[in-house]
Amino acid sequence: MVEIDMKMKMQRVDEIIEGYKGEEGVLIQLLLDIQSEFNWIPHGVIARISERLRIPKSHIYRIASFYKAMSLNPVGRHIIQVCLGTACQVRGAPKILDRVEENLKIKEGGTTPDMRFSLKRVNCLGCCAMGPVVVVDGNYHGKITPAMVEDILGKYK
Amino acid sequence: MPRLNSKEDLRALRRKIVGMRDLTMPYITLCSGTACHATGSDAVAAAIQKELEKQGLTEEVGVRRTGCHGFCERGPIIIVYPEEICYLNVTPEDVPEIISKTIKGKEIIERLLYADPNTGERMVHEQDIPFYKYQTRLVFSGNLWVDPANIEDYIALGGYRALAKALQEMTPEEVMEEVKRANLRGRGGGGFPAGRKWETTRDASGEPKYAIVNCDEGDPGAYMDRSIMEGNPHRVLEGLTIAAYAIGATHGFVYVRQEYPLAVSNLAIALEQAKEYGLLGEDILGSGFDFDVKVHRGAGAFISGESSALMNAIEGKVGEPRPKYVHTSEAGIWDKPSNLNNVETLANVPLIIEKGADWFGSIGTEGSKGTKIFSLVGKVNNTGLVEVPMGTTLRDIIYKIGGGIRGGKKFKGVQTGGPSGGIIPEQYLDSPVDFDELTKLGSMMGSGGMIVIDEDTCIVDLARYFVDFLCDESCGKCVPCREGLKRMRDILDAMVAGRGKEGDIELLKEIAVVMKKASLCALGTTAANPALSTIRYFRDEYEAHIKEKRCPALVCKDLISYYIDPEKCIACLKCLKNCPEGAIEGEKKRIHVIDQSKCVKCGICYDVCPPKVGAVKKISGKPVPPSLPEVERAIRKGKKRGGGSD
């Protein structure tokens, strides 16, 4: 089962690589596509890209570890982004982040042991008028207070 | 659609589109920017569709989903044409009523109108609402009308006319001269004259030349570029193509943040449509000018918005800045001359070409021409995007347009220029806002973030926030920035935790000098600005933290305590039930007490205590008063507080 899964994964990786055939400087775009496909960038995939594009693995790791949109670790089923842009900051976002961390018993950047949630702190999502903002799986929750945190998290099993 | 081959073709198409549109027909526009998406614009759109079908009106009523209108605080916003009735905070439940009453019955629904918070007076039209009334929306105007997924909406408004004029009636030199004469300065932060930048790239040797749009809007608290790109992408593409023509660039890139998915998708649609209509790609409008544009999605790094770092990223490398012995305008992407402009800068270009440099120069101040879009956010009543002529005072922006400070609190300052800027205090509220004035005040224009703070914001904590942000975003390539920021963060962390020492302020200033002089790029050279400007204007707050271990704004967790005032507590159980740590002890008719050893200072008790009661207090710089003896905690009927004390 795992093997079939892996094979299908690689097939998808190959398709993504094919899509950029003949273009220069595509590594970042390629890795972003992989990230949105699998929610993270598995090590096997990096080896595959290295082989196909003849780019050293070390170079790919450097890119993948530099950019915030890319993750080298598997992430939870639900991704929570707590916005800490300035507008959210002055409207109390740090208290929201504290509350989420205390509720899930993980720190920002972490994933719960049951793989239910991954928690990220982000610097401005560009919806400052609604701050503080928490985004779970792409759903925006605006103008939230610490007391609302538990209910919001409860919606995502 | 056959492609357009001349200015005349474009004019004919515009006439055709406008001619086919019946302006007396009822029309609904619905704001669908990201903020409105978040507040339910999709559900409202679905409800409109459903209701029109139900009432058999799909043929008679037009619907258009437009970009951001700016008043994000009150979204989703609906405007009903031809009367231009503006409804705010619309929910799907309001839709049937809007259609039967306003569309069919021509009747205004009072409760959905804007109400003046002071007089209660209702306002029917968008332009009467103070938030809009004092604005001059030139760049942003298209957002109210245009469906970003439909190029014909943009053409109907006169879109691409400036491009046709440039290609058919002007030489590249003339286009460049016009922009130079208009003195259009970069809206992304630096304020460098765009025309001069174009000229450098034009004169540099090397082919091909590149023209790039920077939509890596990383400044926390600023989102005007996002709203233009999402709401009116053709405007940006038109500006970019005109720039490319002036420069002689044949290839272009739009660098847009991955965090802006709606901008990425609307941009992709716009690119396809522009190509199809012959407004991009080969032989644009039959002029023989070719310009090919690609999208590069940014992968989440603040520093990648810096010009040389951005070019590295486009090449597929780590987005770190290069040393600037040679400017990117001469040797940028793959060492070829590359011109980079911000979204808002390019969105101004079609206006300048169409209406002329003299017209543009008549708006604004001596050194800063035109308008600027600010994102007015934070502790202000009306938050959103605000476009005003350069030179408008901070007071007009914050009080006339923004409606003043929330909850009747006291204004403390306004943060401009993002992490490279500073905080401007009350005594400068009457300063006109332009590039040079803000720099004089120790801040900067930046990309136009304007974060209003009130008495409840701790200045030291805010400075720490910016330093922490930059520490996180510094690429680490040069030592002064990497290590300087870390040391600054250590010092500020200690200060907010009550471990600040005498001499810390001087040390911060000393580090700032080195960073300013020795860092590789603008991130490092400006990184100390938030700390320096706050030391300049709010030194007393720093000193309260250091000397008295007190946080005057009652924010810094380690320096404050929560405490329930026994004189005010009505034993309503609200705080007790909501406390996540079970740190509050009490019961019905028994005054509540916080167990300080269990309290994590999350502030929920403070938030949930009814405002009328106001029993939960924050204190700083003094010990928590001892709790009442057990016998005095009972509340007897008819008496405020029972026990032996009365």
Side-chain angles (χ1 to χ4, degrees), chain A residues 20 23-25 27-29 32-33 62-63 66-70 84-87 89-91 95 98-99 102 121 123-126 128-130 140 143 146-147, chain B residues 35 38 72-73 220-221 223 226 257 296-297 299-300 313-320 334 377-379 383 406 453 461 465-466 468-469 472-473 557 580 602 604 607:
Chain A
Y20 287 99
E23 288 183 50
E24 266 182 291
L27 187 55
I28 296 173
Q29 305 303 299
L32 281 175
D33 289 348
R62 174 144 156 73
I63 301 266
F66 181 84
Y67 289 105
K68 289 213 176 79
M70 301 171 192
L84 273 138
T86 320
Q89 164 82 19
V90 304
R91 285 197 190 171
K95 278 198 212 158
D98 283 351
R99 205 59 241 135
E102 274 156 26
R121 156 198 166 156
N123 294 327
C124 197
L125 291 160
C128 312
M130 303 166 49
Y140 288 72
K143 293 188 180 162
Chain B
C72 308
E73 179 82 29
Y223 64 108
R226 156 184 221 156
R257 296 175 82 193
H296 181 101
R297 286 164 294 153
I314 289 180
E315 290 178 19
K317 295 180 191 151
V318 163
E320 285 176 350
W334 292 295
V377 294
K379 304 284 188 69
T383 56
R406 278 173 182 244
I453 57 173
D461 183 58
Y465 160 79
F466 281 115
D468 184 47
F469 173 91
D472 199 31
E473 298 290 357
K557 254 186 165 182
C602 67
I604 291 180
D607 294 338

Coordinates of all heavy atoms in Angstrom, one line a residue, chain A residues 20 23-25 27-29 32-33 62-63 66-70 84-87 89-91 95 98-99 102 121 123-126 128-130 140 143 146-147, chain B residues 35 38 72-73 220-221 223 226 257 296-297 299-300 313-320 334 377-379 383 406 453 461 465-466 468-469 472-473 557 580 602 604 607:
Chain A
Y20 N 7.1 22.5 -16.1 CA 8.0 23.6 -16.1 C 9.1 23.4 -17.1 O 10.1 24.1 -17.1 CB 8.6 23.9 -14.7 CG 7.6 24.5 -13.8 CD1 6.9 23.7 -12.9 CD2 7.3 25.9 -13.8 CE1 6.0 24.3 -12.0 CE2 6.4 26.5 -13.0 CZ 5.8 25.7 -12.0 OH 4.9 26.2 -11.2
E23 N 11.9 25.9 -18.9 CA 12.0 27.3 -18.3 C 13.1 27.4 -17.3 O 13.5 26.4 -16.7 CB 10.6 27.5 -17.6 CG 9.5 27.7 -18.5 CD 8.2 28.1 -17.7 OE1 8.3 29.0 -16.9 OE2 7.2 27.5 -17.9
E24 N 13.6 28.6 -17.2 CA 14.7 28.8 -16.3 C 14.2 29.3 -14.9 O 13.1 29.8 -14.8 CB 15.6 30.0 -16.9 CG 16.7 29.6 -17.7 CD 17.5 30.8 -18.2 OE1 17.0 31.5 -19.0 OE2 18.6 30.9 -17.7
G25 N 15.0 29.0 -13.9 CA 14.8 29.5 -12.6 C 13.4 29.1 -12.0 O 12.7 29.9 -11.3
L27 N 12.8 26.5 -9.8 CA 12.8 25.7 -8.6 C 11.8 26.2 -7.5 O 11.1 25.3 -7.0 CB 14.2 25.7 -8.0 CG 14.5 24.7 -6.9 CD1 14.1 23.3 -7.2 CD2 15.9 24.8 -6.4
I28 N 11.7 27.5 -7.3 CA 10.8 27.9 -6.2 C 9.4 27.7 -6.6 O 8.6 27.2 -5.8 CB 11.1 29.5 -6.0 CG1 12.5 29.7 -5.5 CG2 10.0 30.0 -5.0 CD1 12.9 31.1 -5.3
Q29 N 9.0 27.9 -7.8 CA 7.6 27.7 -8.3 C 7.3 26.2 -8.2 O 6.2 25.9 -7.8 CB 7.4 28.2 -9.7 CG 7.8 29.7 -9.9 CD 7.1 30.6 -9.0 OE1 5.9 30.7 -9.1 NE2 7.8 31.3 -8.1
L32 N 6.8 25.2 -4.6 CA 5.5 25.7 -4.1 C 4.3 24.8 -4.5 O 3.4 24.5 -3.8 CB 5.2 27.2 -4.6 CG 5.9 28.3 -3.9 CD1 5.7 29.6 -4.6 CD2 5.5 28.4 -2.4
D33 N 4.5 24.3 -5.8 CA 3.4 23.4 -6.3 C 3.4 22.1 -5.5 O 2.4 21.6 -5.1 CB 3.7 23.1 -7.7 CG 3.3 24.3 -8.6 OD1 2.7 25.3 -8.1 OD2 3.7 24.3 -9.8
R62 N 18.4 24.2 0.8 CA 18.6 25.6 1.2 C 17.4 26.4 0.8 O 16.9 27.2 1.6 CB 19.8 26.1 0.5 CG 20.1 27.6 0.7 CD 21.6 27.8 0.7 NE 21.9 29.2 0.4 CZ 21.7 30.3 1.2 NH1 21.1 30.1 2.3 NH2 22.1 31.5 0.8
I63 N 16.8 26.2 -0.3 CA 15.6 27.0 -0.7 C 14.5 26.6 0.2 O 13.8 27.5 0.7 CB 15.3 26.6 -2.2 CG1 16.4 27.0 -3.2 CG2 13.9 27.3 -2.6 CD1 16.4 28.3 -3.8
F66 N 14.7 28.1 3.5 CA 14.7 29.6 3.6 C 13.3 30.1 3.6 O 12.9 31.0 4.3 CB 15.5 30.1 2.4 CG 15.6 31.6 2.4 CD1 16.6 32.3 3.2 CD2 14.8 32.4 1.6 CE1 16.7 33.7 3.1 CE2 14.9 33.8 1.6 CZ 15.8 34.4 2.4
Y67 N 12.4 29.6 2.7 CA 11.1 30.2 2.5 C 10.1 29.7 3.4 O 10.0 28.5 3.7 CB 10.7 30.0 1.0 CG 11.5 30.8 0.0 CD1 12.4 30.3 -0.8 CD2 11.3 32.2 -0.1 CE1 13.2 31.0 -1.7 CE2 12.0 33.0 -1.0 CZ 12.9 32.4 -1.8 OH 13.6 33.1 -2.7
K68 N 9.3 30.6 4.0 CA 8.3 30.2 5.0 C 7.2 29.4 4.4 O 6.5 28.7 5.2 CB 7.8 31.5 5.6 CG 8.7 32.2 6.5 CD 8.0 32.9 7.6 CE 9.0 33.5 8.6 NZ 9.5 34.8 8.1
A69 N 6.9 29.6 3.2 CA 5.7 28.8 2.6 C 6.0 27.3 2.4 O 5.1 26.6 2.1 CB 5.3 29.5 1.3
M70 N 7.3 27.0 2.7 CA 7.6 25.6 2.4 C 7.9 24.9 3.8 O 8.5 25.5 4.7 CB 8.9 25.5 1.6 CG 8.7 26.1 0.2 SD 10.2 26.2 -0.7 CE 9.7 27.3 -2.0
L84 N 0.0 37.9 13.0 CA 0.7 38.8 14.0 C 1.2 40.0 13.2 O 2.3 40.5 13.5 CB 1.8 38.1 14.8 CG 1.2 37.4 16.0 CD1 1.7 36.1 16.3 CD2 1.4 38.3 17.2
G85 N 0.5 40.4 12.2 CA 0.8 41.7 11.5 C 0.6 42.8 12.5 O 0.0 42.6 13.6
T86 N 1.1 44.0 12.2 CA 1.0 45.1 13.2 C -0.4 45.4 13.6 O -0.7 45.7 14.8 CB 1.7 46.4 12.7 OG1 2.8 46.0 11.9 CG2 2.1 47.3 13.8
A87 N -1.3 45.4 12.7 CA -2.7 45.8 13.0 C -3.3 44.8 13.9 O -4.0 45.2 14.9 CB -3.5 45.9 11.7
Q89 N -1.5 42.8 15.9 CA -0.7 42.9 17.1 C -1.3 44.0 18.0 O -1.6 43.7 19.2 CB 0.7 43.3 16.7 CG 1.6 43.9 17.8 CD 2.2 42.8 18.7 OE1 2.3 41.6 18.2 NE2 2.6 43.1 19.8
V90 N -1.6 45.2 17.5 CA -2.1 46.2 18.4 C -3.6 45.9 18.9 O -4.0 46.5 19.8 CB -2.0 47.6 17.9 CG1 -0.6 48.0 17.5 CG2 -2.9 47.9 16.7
R91 N -4.2 45.0 18.2 CA -5.6 44.7 18.6 C -5.6 43.4 19.4 O -6.7 42.8 19.5 CB -6.5 44.6 17.4 CG -6.9 45.9 16.8 CD -8.1 45.7 15.9 NE -8.4 46.9 15.1 CZ -9.3 46.9 14.2 NH1 -10.0 45.7 13.9 NH2 -9.6 47.9 13.5
K95 N -2.3 37.7 22.5 CA -3.1 37.0 23.5 C -3.8 35.9 22.8 O -4.1 34.8 23.4 CB -4.2 37.9 24.1 CG -3.7 38.8 25.2 CD -4.9 39.3 26.0 CE -4.7 40.6 26.6 NZ -6.0 41.3 26.8
D98 N -1.2 33.1 22.4 CA -1.0 32.5 23.7 C -2.2 31.5 23.9 O -1.9 30.3 24.4 CB -1.1 33.5 24.8 CG 0.2 34.3 24.9 OD1 1.2 33.9 24.2 OD2 0.2 35.3 25.6
R99 N -3.4 31.9 23.7 CA -4.5 31.1 24.0 C -4.5 29.8 23.1 O -4.8 28.7 23.6 CB -5.8 31.9 23.7 CG -7.0 31.6 24.4 CD -6.9 31.6 25.9 NE -7.2 30.3 26.4 CZ -6.4 29.8 27.4 NH1 -5.4 30.4 27.9 NH2 -6.7 28.6 27.9
E102 N -1.8 27.5 24.4 CA -2.2 26.9 25.7 C -3.2 25.8 25.5 O -3.2 24.8 26.1 CB -2.6 27.9 26.7 CG -1.5 28.5 27.5 CD -1.8 29.9 28.0 OE1 -3.0 30.2 28.3 OE2 -0.9 30.7 28.2
R121 N 2.6 31.0 13.0 CA 2.4 32.4 13.2 C 2.7 33.1 11.9 O 3.7 32.8 11.3 CB 3.4 32.8 14.3 CG 3.7 34.2 14.3 CD 5.0 34.4 15.1 NE 5.4 35.8 14.8 CZ 6.2 36.5 15.6 NH1 6.6 36.1 16.7 NH2 6.5 37.7 15.2
N123 N 3.1 36.8 9.5 CA 3.2 38.2 9.6 C 2.4 38.9 8.5 O 2.8 39.2 7.4 CB 4.7 38.6 9.3 CG 5.6 38.1 10.4 OD1 5.2 38.0 11.6 ND2 6.8 37.7 10.1
C124 N 1.2 39.2 8.9 CA 0.2 39.9 8.0 C -0.4 39.1 6.9 O 0.3 38.7 6.0 CB 0.8 41.2 7.5 SG -0.5 42.3 6.9
L125 N -1.7 38.9 6.9 CA -2.4 38.3 5.9 C -3.1 39.3 5.0 O -3.9 38.9 4.1 CB -3.4 37.3 6.5 CG -2.7 36.1 7.1 CD1 -3.7 35.4 8.1 CD2 -2.3 35.1 6.1
G126 N -2.9 40.5 5.3 CA -3.5 41.6 4.4 C -5.0 41.8 4.6 O -5.7 42.2 3.7
C128 N -6.3 43.5 7.4 CA -6.0 44.2 8.7 C -7.2 44.8 9.3 O -7.2 45.0 10.5 CB -5.0 45.3 8.4 SG -3.6 44.7 7.5
A129 N -8.2 45.1 8.5 CA -9.4 45.7 9.1 C -10.2 44.8 10.0 O -11.0 45.2 10.7 CB -10.3 46.3 8.0
M130 N -9.9 43.5 9.8 CA -10.7 42.5 10.6 C -9.9 42.0 11.8 O -10.3 41.0 12.4 CB -11.0 41.3 9.7 CG -11.8 41.7 8.5 SD -11.8 40.3 7.4 CE -12.3 39.1 8.5
Y140 N -11.3 32.3 7.1 CA -10.9 33.4 7.9 C -11.8 33.6 9.0 O -13.0 33.6 8.9 CB -10.9 34.7 7.0 CG -9.8 34.8 6.0 CD1 -9.8 34.0 4.9 CD2 -8.7 35.6 6.2 CE1 -8.7 34.0 4.0 CE2 -7.7 35.7 5.3 CZ -7.7 34.9 4.2 OH -6.7 35.0 3.3
K143 N -11.9 39.5 13.9 CA -12.3 40.1 15.1 C -12.5 39.2 16.2 O -13.5 39.2 16.9 CB -13.5 41.0 14.9 CG -13.3 42.1 13.9 CD -14.5 43.0 13.8 CE -14.1 44.2 12.8 NZ -15.2 44.9 12.3
P146 N -9.8 36.2 22.9 CA -9.2 34.9 23.4 C -10.4 34.0 23.8 O -10.2 32.8 23.7 CB -8.5 35.4 24.7 CG -8.1 36.8 24.4 CD -9.2 37.4 23.5
A147 N -11.5 34.5 24.3 CA -12.6 33.6 24.7 C -13.2 32.8 23.5 O -13.9 31.8 23.8 CB -13.6 34.5 25.4
Chain B
A35 N -11.0 40.7 2.4 CA -11.7 41.0 3.7 C -13.2 40.6 3.6 O -13.8 40.1 4.5 CB -11.5 42.4 4.1
A38 N -13.8 37.1 3.6 CA -13.8 36.6 4.9 C -15.0 36.9 5.7 O -15.4 36.2 6.6 CB -12.6 37.2 5.6
C72 N -13.3 48.1 4.6 CA -13.3 46.7 4.9 C -14.0 46.5 6.3 O -14.5 45.4 6.6 CB -11.9 46.1 5.0 SG -11.0 46.5 3.5
E73 N -13.9 47.5 7.1 CA -14.6 47.4 8.5 C -16.1 47.0 8.3 O -16.6 46.3 9.2 CB -14.4 48.7 9.1 CG -15.0 48.9 10.5 CD -14.1 48.3 11.5 OE1 -12.9 48.4 11.3 OE2 -14.6 47.9 12.6
P220 N 3.8 44.5 7.4 CA 2.6 44.1 8.1 C 1.7 45.3 8.4 O 2.3 46.4 8.7 CB 3.2 43.6 9.5 CG 4.6 44.2 9.6 CD 5.0 44.4 8.2
G221 N 0.5 45.2 8.1 CA -0.4 46.3 8.3 C -0.7 47.1 7.0 O -1.4 48.1 7.1
Y223 N -2.1 46.8 2.9 CA -2.6 45.8 2.0 C -3.2 46.5 0.7 O -4.1 45.9 0.1 CB -3.6 44.9 2.7 CG -4.9 45.5 3.2 CD1 -6.1 45.4 2.6 CD2 -4.8 46.3 4.4 CE1 -7.3 46.0 3.1 CE2 -5.9 46.9 4.9 CZ -7.1 46.8 4.3 OH -8.3 47.4 4.8
R226 N -2.3 44.5 -2.5 CA -3.2 43.3 -2.7 C -4.5 43.7 -3.2 O -5.0 43.1 -4.2 CB -3.4 42.7 -1.3 CG -4.6 41.9 -1.2 CD -4.9 41.4 0.2 NE -5.3 40.0 0.0 CZ -5.2 39.1 0.9 NH1 -4.7 39.3 2.0 NH2 -5.7 37.9 0.7
R257 N 2.9 37.7 -3.8 CA 3.0 36.8 -2.7 C 2.1 35.6 -2.8 O 0.9 35.8 -3.1 CB 2.6 37.5 -1.4 CG 3.5 38.6 -0.9 CD 2.8 39.3 0.3 NE 3.1 38.6 1.5 CZ 2.5 38.8 2.6 NH1 1.5 39.7 2.7 NH2 2.9 38.1 3.7
H296 N 5.6 35.2 -11.0 CA 6.4 34.5 -10.1 C 5.8 34.6 -8.7 O 5.6 35.7 -8.2 CB 7.8 35.1 -10.0 CG 8.7 34.3 -9.1 ND1 9.7 33.4 -9.5 CD2 8.8 34.4 -7.7 CE1 10.3 32.9 -8.5 NE2 9.8 33.5 -7.4
R297 N 5.4 33.5 -8.1 CA 4.8 33.5 -6.8 C 5.9 33.6 -5.7 O 6.8 32.7 -5.7 CB 4.0 32.3 -6.5 CG 2.6 32.3 -7.3 CD 2.0 30.9 -7.4 NE 2.8 30.0 -8.1 CZ 2.9 28.7 -8.0 NH1 2.1 28.2 -7.0 NH2 3.6 27.9 -8.7
A299 N 7.5 33.0 -2.1 CA 7.3 31.9 -1.2 C 7.4 32.2 0.3 O 7.7 31.3 1.1 CB 8.3 30.8 -1.5
G300 N 7.1 33.5 0.6 CA 7.1 33.8 2.0 C 8.4 34.2 2.6 O 9.0 33.4 3.4
A313 N 15.3 35.7 -6.2 CA 14.1 34.8 -6.1 C 13.6 34.4 -7.5 O 13.3 33.3 -7.8 CB 13.0 35.4 -5.2
I314 N 13.5 35.4 -8.4 CA 12.9 35.2 -9.7 C 13.8 34.2 -10.4 O 13.4 33.3 -11.2 CB 12.7 36.5 -10.5 CG1 11.5 37.2 -9.9 CG2 12.5 36.2 -12.0 CD1 11.2 38.5 -10.6
E315 N 15.1 34.3 -10.2 CA 16.1 33.4 -10.8 C 16.0 32.0 -10.2 O 16.7 31.1 -10.6 CB 17.5 33.9 -10.6 CG 17.8 35.1 -11.5 CD 19.2 35.6 -11.3 OE1 20.1 34.9 -10.8 OE2 19.5 36.8 -11.6
G316 N 15.2 31.8 -9.1 CA 15.0 30.5 -8.5 C 16.0 30.3 -7.4 O 16.2 29.2 -6.9
K317 N 16.6 31.4 -6.9 CA 17.6 31.2 -5.8 C 17.0 31.7 -4.5 O 15.8 32.2 -4.5 CB 18.8 32.1 -6.1 CG 19.6 31.7 -7.4 CD 20.7 32.6 -7.5 CE 21.4 32.4 -8.9 NZ 22.0 33.7 -9.4
V318 N 17.8 31.5 -3.5 CA 17.3 32.0 -2.2 C 17.2 33.6 -2.3 O 18.1 34.2 -2.8 CB 18.4 31.6 -1.1 CG1 18.2 32.5 0.1 CG2 18.3 30.2 -0.8
G319 N 16.1 34.1 -1.7 CA 15.9 35.5 -1.9 C 16.6 36.4 -0.9 O 16.1 37.0 0.0
E320 N 17.9 36.4 -1.1 CA 18.8 37.3 -0.2 C 19.2 38.5 -1.1 O 19.5 38.3 -2.3 CB 20.0 36.5 0.2 CG 19.8 35.5 1.3 CD 21.1 34.8 1.6 OE1 22.1 34.9 0.9 OE2 21.1 34.0 2.6
W334 N 19.4 37.8 -14.0 CA 20.5 37.2 -14.9 C 21.4 38.2 -15.4 O 21.8 38.2 -16.6 CB 19.9 36.3 -16.0 CG 19.2 35.1 -15.5 CD1 19.8 34.0 -14.8 CD2 17.8 34.8 -15.5 NE1 18.9 33.1 -14.4 CE2 17.7 33.5 -14.8 CE3 16.7 35.4 -16.0 CZ2 16.4 32.9 -14.7 CZ3 15.5 34.8 -15.8 CH2 15.3 33.5 -15.1
V377 N -5.5 51.4 9.8 CA -5.9 50.2 10.6 C -5.5 50.4 12.1 O -4.9 51.5 12.5 CB -5.2 48.9 10.1 CG1 -5.8 48.6 8.7 CG2 -3.7 49.0 10.1
G378 N -5.8 49.5 12.9 CA -5.4 49.6 14.3 C -6.6 50.1 15.1 O -7.8 49.7 14.9
K379 N -6.4 51.0 16.1 CA -7.4 51.4 17.0 C -8.2 52.6 16.5 O -8.5 53.5 17.3 CB -6.7 51.7 18.3 CG -5.9 50.6 18.9 CD -6.7 49.6 19.6 CE -5.9 48.6 20.3 NZ -5.3 49.0 21.5
T383 N -11.8 51.4 9.8 CA -10.5 50.9 9.2 C -10.8 50.6 7.8 O -11.9 50.3 7.4 CB -10.0 49.7 10.0 OG1 -11.1 48.7 9.9 CG2 -9.7 50.0 11.4
R406 N -11.2 54.4 18.6 CA -12.2 53.4 19.1 C -12.5 53.6 20.5 O -11.6 53.8 21.3 CB -11.7 52.0 18.9 CG -11.9 51.5 17.6 CD -11.3 50.2 17.4 NE -11.5 49.8 16.0 CZ -12.2 48.8 15.6 NH1 -12.7 48.0 16.5 NH2 -12.5 48.7 14.4
I453 N -2.4 53.7 17.1 CA -2.4 53.1 18.5 C -2.9 54.1 19.5 O -2.9 55.3 19.4 CB -1.0 52.6 18.8 CG1 0.0 53.8 18.8 CG2 -0.5 51.5 17.9 CD1 1.4 53.4 19.3
D461 N 6.7 47.4 24.0 CA 6.2 46.1 23.5 C 6.1 46.2 22.0 O 6.5 45.2 21.3 CB 4.9 45.7 24.1 CG 4.4 44.4 23.7 OD1 5.1 43.4 23.9 OD2 3.3 44.3 23.1
Y465 N 8.1 44.2 19.3 CA 7.4 43.4 18.2 C 8.1 43.6 16.8 O 8.3 42.6 16.1 CB 5.9 43.9 18.1 CG 5.3 43.5 16.8 CD1 4.8 42.3 16.6 CD2 5.1 44.5 15.8 CE1 4.2 42.0 15.4 CE2 4.5 44.2 14.6 CZ 4.1 42.9 14.4 OH 3.5 42.6 13.2
F466 N 8.4 44.9 16.5 CA 9.1 45.1 15.2 C 10.5 44.5 15.1 O 10.8 43.9 14.1 CB 9.1 46.6 14.9 CG 7.8 47.2 14.4 CD1 7.1 48.1 15.1 CD2 7.3 46.7 13.2 CE1 5.9 48.6 14.7 CE2 6.1 47.2 12.8 CZ 5.4 48.2 13.5
D468 N 11.5 41.9 16.8 CA 11.3 40.5 16.7 C 10.9 40.1 15.3 O 11.4 39.1 14.7 CB 10.2 40.1 17.7 CG 10.0 38.6 17.8 OD1 11.0 37.9 17.9 OD2 8.8 38.2 17.7
F469 N 10.0 40.9 14.7 CA 9.6 40.6 13.3 C 10.8 40.6 12.4 O 11.0 39.7 11.6 CB 8.6 41.7 12.9 CG 8.2 41.7 11.4 CD1 7.1 41.0 11.0 CD2 9.0 42.4 10.5 CE1 6.7 41.0 9.7 CE2 8.6 42.4 9.1 CZ 7.5 41.6 8.7
D472 N 13.2 37.8 12.8 CA 12.7 36.6 12.1 C 12.9 36.7 10.6 O 13.1 35.7 9.9 CB 11.2 36.6 12.4 CG 10.6 35.3 12.2 OD1 11.3 34.3 12.4 OD2 9.4 35.2 11.8
E473 N 12.8 37.9 10.0 CA 12.9 38.1 8.6 C 14.3 38.4 8.1 O 14.5 38.4 6.9 CB 11.9 39.2 8.2 CG 10.4 38.9 8.5 CD 9.9 37.7 7.6 OE1 10.6 37.2 6.7 OE2 8.7 37.4 7.8
K557 N 2.9 41.4 30.0 CA 2.4 40.3 30.9 C 3.2 40.2 32.2 O 2.6 40.0 33.3 CB 2.6 39.0 30.2 CG 1.3 38.4 29.6 CD 1.6 37.1 29.1 CE 0.4 36.3 28.9 NZ 0.7 34.9 28.3
P580 N -9.8 29.9 31.7 CA -9.4 28.5 31.2 C -8.5 27.8 32.2 O -8.3 26.6 32.0 CB -8.6 28.9 29.9 CG -8.1 30.3 30.1 CD -9.1 31.0 31.0
C602 N -4.1 35.7 30.7 CA -4.7 35.6 29.4 C -5.7 36.8 29.1 O -6.0 37.1 28.0 CB -5.4 34.3 29.1 SG -6.9 34.1 30.0
I604 N -8.9 36.9 29.7 CA -10.2 36.6 29.4 C -11.2 37.2 30.4 O -12.2 37.7 30.1 CB -10.4 35.1 29.2 CG1 -9.7 34.6 27.9 CG2 -11.9 34.7 29.1 CD1 -9.8 33.2 27.6
D607 N -11.9 40.7 29.7 CA -12.7 40.9 28.5 C -14.2 40.5 28.8 O -15.1 41.1 28.3 CB -12.3 40.0 27.4 CG -10.9 40.4 26.8 OD1 -10.5 41.6 27.1 OD2 -10.2 39.6 26.2

